[in-house]
Amino acid sequence: MVEIKTDATLLAMRESGRVVAQALAAVRDKAAPGMTLVELDGVAREVLAEARAGSPFLGYHPDWAPVPFPAVVCLSVNDAIVHGVPGTTRLADGDLLSVDCGAVLGGWVGDAAVSFTVGRARPEDTRLIDTAYEALEAGIAAAVVGNRVGDIAHAIGRVCRRAGYGIPDGLGGHGVGRSMHEDPGIPNEGRPGRGMPLRHGMVIAIEPMLTGGGSDDHYTARDGWTIRTVDGSRAAHTEHTVAITDEGPRVLTAL
């Protein structure tokens, strides 16, 4: 069931989205060679605590996961696509880092992700990351009243496939509200004109995930959470929480 939010709720969700944006900016600012992933998780925790916001990630335990998620951010490095668990691994110069963060404020959830290079960037990584952001912008542009979920999926998929990148099977966006994952699902590839119609007051997370090697295949690592590319190629992940309004898409997790 899709919950249609009121205009007052959209304003409240903007506040939770703002906290997410601040946490992502803080993590990006501190990410440097030699920094451990658990230290970066601490950076995000400080931002949430200062805003008196909760984390929808910490303790999250879906049926398929062996243990609850132990952190407030997912930190996915290089061939990790999504759901990377922060640990004692130290970042190295040239690592591609994807950071996914959520916040709960006033009972409403915000959810967003960024990808960037730590230190010196490889040209192929820069292109991959740039394409992920281009796909995100294309998906947002398609999130208008009168379109359908398939129009968003098609916009994202066309950007990714045109660049020669893979789109991991079964991974994509979702509705957002009082829970982090709500209806409808937002695939990263699909046919235009298909799926649920988009209405004023719907709030969705649009989140392209791209694999540099062009394969859609992935596997779950031994920690039961981290999803990695089968071919070992690097991946990028971008995301915004977006409100669909009569005035056009409104990004709730922008800084």
Side-chain angles (χ1 to χ4, degrees), residues 11-119:
L11 292 176
M13 294 189 71
R14 171 60 179 139
E15 294 310 306
S16 58
R18 198 186 312 274
V19 175
V20 173
Q22 292 167 348
L24 289 172
V27 171
R28 183 167 189 163
D29 182 62
K30 293 294 185 181
M35 194 82 167
T36 67
L37 299 183
V38 72
E39 287 172 331
L40 290 181
D41 180 64
V43 170
R45 287 176 188 250
E46 289 180 5
V47 174
L48 295 183
E50 185 175 344
R52 297 184 179 180
S55 169
F57 289 19
L58 184 62
Y60 179 58
H61 195 182
D63 292 341
W64 48 263
V67 296
F69 196 75
V72 303
V73 285
C74 298
L75 299 175
S76 305
V77 183
N78 295 335
D79 67 321
I81 303 167
V82 71
H83 300 163
V85 179
T88 57
T89 299
R90 293 188 182 276
L91 292 169
D93 185 48
D95 277 346
L96 196 168
L97 178 63
S98 296
V99 185
D100 192 357
C101 182
V104 185
L105 194 65
W108 298 104
V109 175
D111 187 11
V114 296
S115 285
F116 56 91
T117 298
V118 177

Side-chain angles (χ1 to χ4, degrees), residues 66 218-228:
H218 53 80
Y219 72 97
T220 302
R222 289 184 178 180
D223 61 20
W225 277 99
T226 308
I227 297 177
R228 298 185 178 278

Side-chain angles (χ1 to χ4, degrees), residues 112-132:
V114 296
S115 285
F116 56 91
T117 298
V118 177
R120 292 170 293 183
R122 307 191 310 184
E124 58 269 34
D125 289 346
T126 298
R127 179 174 177 267
L128 176 65
I129 293 168
D130 287 348
T131 303

